[in-house]
């Protein structure tokens, strides 16, 4: 701590993981290190796990119980192996090109990326079925929040273990598929609600690639209902939010999947067509800027205590090489490089010092 060695014990500990495809390797390596230092499963430490897309798959895996027990079946190392050993299966091959108009074919000559078909989802869905089986959201060993987006009603969708009861419960393998249906990578998924009613779900990263703010909001709901906070009752949820956030005994660890700074010169952008803008908007401006905005906001929502102890930590490799930034590059070279980048980040003294501070807080129960 900056001014004191005293550690205020957090009452709600939150883990939030960004989306990023195969780059989910990065948070898995970091969490593997944290798990090894703690010596206990992450579900015995964190009270809330939030994830988007690849982050959603990771948090669902980390909170999956071993059959007929209250113990974890999957650890960070298992989730890391999911990407390292099965990444090629997930991003196996693109579906066959559909018949296209002459105009589309011409566009494809100049910008092939924008007219490619989605990846075949069969291997992904089979892998999720093997990993999650019949586990439901209500079975998770900790509170879980996973994001998605309904394109038919144009609305955000949140899968919460807190509300997963009866007809509102979902198989974890389905939730993992819903949250990772990234446009241009995987096709939307239909979620049947009843006779003649369905949702068309895509990746939650289109609106919350960094789900930290959503995790913060869910933590407030959990806090209102917790035994630790007996002075608050269920009627509080109907009252306006009051400015007493600096008193919330929360601790949040938010982990990104690496950020690549892509520069566009003004001279170049002045001559952009609509098609020229599309890849920059999809890959950089939308996803990275939203994640940065969320990080900026979280620093204000959970500022340090007056004695210096931080309540919010953001782990992000901010200079991820552009050659390692593709969310679907599952070559052995790229996978090994992502693993190395994460370990190199951990081993830097300033980063290791920060991790030790995080671990010291997490050890406080």
């Amino acid at each position: 701590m900056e001014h004191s060695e005293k550690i205020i014990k957090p009452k709600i500990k939150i883990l939030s993981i960004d989306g990023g495809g195969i780059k989910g390797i990065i948070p898995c390596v970091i969490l593997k290190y944290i798990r090894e230092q703690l010596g206990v499963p992450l579900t015995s430490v964190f009270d809330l796990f939030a994830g988007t897309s690849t982050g959603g798959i990771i948090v669902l895996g980390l909170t999956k119980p071993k059959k007929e027990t209250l113990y974890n079946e999957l650890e960070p190392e298992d989730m890391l192996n999911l990407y390292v050993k099965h990444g090629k299966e997930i991003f196996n091959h693109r579906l066959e090109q559909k018949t296209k108009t002459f105009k589309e074919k011409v566009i494809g000559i100049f910008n092939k990326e924008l007219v490619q078909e989605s990846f075949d989802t069969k291997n992904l869905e089979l892998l999720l079925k093997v990993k999650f089986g019949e586990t439901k959201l209500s079975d998770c060993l900790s509170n879980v929040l996973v994001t998605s987006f309904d394109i038919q009603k144009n609305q955000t969708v949140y899968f919460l273990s807190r509300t997963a009861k009866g007809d509102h419960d979902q198989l974890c393998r389905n939730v993992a598929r819903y949250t990772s249906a990234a446009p241009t990578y995987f096709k939307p998924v239909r979620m049947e609600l009843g006779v003649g009613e369905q949702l068309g779900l895509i990746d939650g990263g289109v609106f919350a690639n960094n789900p930290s703010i959503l995790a913060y909001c869910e933590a407030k709901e959990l806090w209102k209902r917790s035994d630790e906070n007996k002075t608050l009752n269920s009627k509080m949820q109907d009252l306006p939010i009051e400015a007493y956030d600096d008193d919330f005994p929360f601790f949040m660890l938010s982990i990104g999947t690496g950020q690549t700074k892509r520069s566009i010169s003004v001279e170049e952008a002045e001559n952009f067509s609509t098609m020229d803008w599309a890849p920059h908007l999809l890959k950089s401006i939308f996803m990275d800027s939203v994640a940065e905005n969320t990080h900026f906001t979280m620093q204000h929502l959970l500022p340090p205590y007056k004695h210096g102890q931080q309540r919010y930590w953001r782990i992000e490799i901010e200079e991820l090489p552009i050659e390692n930034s593709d969310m679907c590059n599952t070559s052995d070279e790229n996978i090994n490089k992502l693993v190395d980048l994460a370990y190199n980040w951990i081993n830097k003294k300033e980063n290791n010092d920060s991790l030790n501070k995080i671990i010291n807080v997490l050890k406080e129960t």
Side-chain angles (χ1 to χ4, degrees):
M1 302 302 117
E2 294 180 6
H3 307 295
S4 172
E5 294 301 319
K6 176 185 176 183
I7 294 179
I8 296 178
K9 297 181 180 180
K11 297 295 177 62
I12 295 184
K13 299 173 185 176
I14 309 158
L15 175 63
S16 175
I17 307 178
D18 289 14
I22 195 65
K23 295 186 295 179
I25 285 172
I26 293 172
C28 286
V29 170
I30 292 169
L31 289 171
K32 178 176 177 291
Y33 175 82
I34 291 174
R35 166 66 175 88
E36 289 168 351
Q37 301 306 306
L38 289 172
V40 294
L42 297 182
T43 48
S44 67
V45 176
F46 289 102
D47 305 287
L48 171 61
F49 291 70
T52 289
S53 193
T54 200
I57 294 175
I58 293 170
V59 301
L60 288 167
L62 293 177
T63 57
K64 181 193 175 185
K66 190 177 293 185
K67 189 174 182 181
E68 297 180 356
T69 72
L70 295 177
Y71 299 98
N72 291 73
E73 179 173 313
L74 302 172
E75 295 283 2
E77 184 172 6
D78 298 306
M79 300 311 296
L80 174 60
N81 288 335
L82 176 75
Y83 292 96
V84 172
K85 295 182 179 179
H86 302 286
K88 286 186 175 64
E89 298 171 33
I90 297 173
F91 296 102
N92 185 22
H93 63 272
R94 299 275 187 177
L95 296 170
E96 293 184 3
Q97 296 286 309
K98 296 177 181 178
T99 302
K100 297 186 181 298
T101 65
F102 174 77
K103 181 178 180 181
E104 288 173 321
K105 290 178 181 178
V106 171
I107 291 173
I109 293 174
F110 296 101
N111 205 331
K112 181 180 178 182
E113 182 177 5
L114 294 180
V115 294
Q116 290 185 113
E117 294 298 328
S118 303
F119 285 98
D120 191 337
T121 61
K122 291 179 181 177
N123 286 338
L124 172 61
E125 290 168 357
L126 178 60
L127 184 60
L128 293 175
K129 185 174 182 179
V130 169
K131 289 295 179 182
F132 293 106
E134 299 302 308
T135 302
K136 293 184 177 180
L137 200 57
S138 60
D139 297 325
C140 291
L141 294 175
S142 185
N143 293 289
V144 171
L145 180 154
V146 176
T147 66
S148 189
F149 187 85
D150 175 23
I151 56 175
Q152 295 200 146
K153 295 184 178 180
N154 192 34
Q155 65 183 18
T156 57
V157 178
Y158 309 112
F159 292 97
L160 303 169
S161 58
R162 174 172 58 85
T163 59
K165 300 175 183 177
D167 294 338
H168 295 288
D169 210 347
Q170 292 285 327
L171 290 172
C172 288
R173 68 172 188 252
N174 290 341
V175 176
R177 180 69 178 88
Y178 300 149
T179 190
S180 59
T184 77
Y185 292 96
F186 297 114
K187 288 187 175 182
V189 191
R190 298 185 184 192
M191 175 180 165
E192 304 296 333
L193 294 180
V195 179
E197 187 177 5
Q198 66 179 10
L199 303 181
L201 298 177
I202 62 173
D203 196 314
V206 298
F207 73 97
N209 203 53
N210 175 353
S212 297
I213 290 178
L214 303 177
Y216 171 80
C217 294
E218 177 63 5
K220 291 181 73 172
E221 291 303 309
L222 294 171
W223 177 240
K224 291 170 187 176
R225 293 162 171 76
S226 71
D227 290 335
E228 292 281 354
N229 195 17
K230 298 181 185 299
T231 59
L232 297 180
N233 56 52
S234 59
K235 294 182 179 179
M236 274 295 294
Q237 63 186 310
D238 301 320
L239 297 177
I241 296 174
E242 298 179 9
Y244 63 149
D245 289 42
D246 60 335
D247 295 326
F248 281 141
F250 297 168
F251 176 87
M252 178 182 290
L253 173 59
S254 173
I255 308 180
T257 56
Q259 191 176 74
T260 302
K261 298 294 184 182
R262 297 178 177 86
S263 177
I264 307 171
S265 70
V266 176
E267 291 77 14
E268 182 184 8
E270 284 175 340
N271 297 312
F272 270 7
S273 68
T274 301
M275 296 303 292
D276 292 325
W277 272 111
H280 295 285
L281 292 174
L282 287 172
K283 286 186 174 181
S284 181
I285 298 176
F286 285 166
M287 292 181 65
D288 290 346
S289 63
V290 169
E292 286 187 16
N293 178 64
T294 299
H295 172 51
F296 175 84
T297 305
M298 284 309 308
Q299 292 177 89
H300 289 75
L301 291 175
L302 283 178
Y305 288 113
K306 291 181 180 179
H307 72 283
Q309 180 179 326
Q310 289 186 228
R311 292 185 294 159
Y312 166 76
W313 289 84
R314 172 72 171 168
I315 294 178
E316 180 73 292
I317 297 178
E318 295 181 346
E319 297 182 2
L320 189 71
I322 194 165
E323 62 267 24
N324 305 115
S325 64
D326 195 328
M327 294 192 296
C328 63
N329 183 352
T330 56
S331 67
D332 291 338
E333 181 182 5
N334 187 60
I335 286 175
N336 292 333
K337 182 62 175 179
L338 289 172
V339 172
D340 289 342
L341 284 167
Y343 277 116
N344 290 339
W345 185 94
I346 291 171
N347 290 329
K348 286 184 179 179
K349 185 180 184 309
E350 62 270 28
N351 298 332
N352 202 260
D353 289 344
S354 295
L355 283 171
N356 286 333
K357 291 179 181 179
I358 291 169
I359 290 164
N360 285 337
V361 174
L362 293 176
K363 285 181 178 178
E364 296 293 328
T365 57

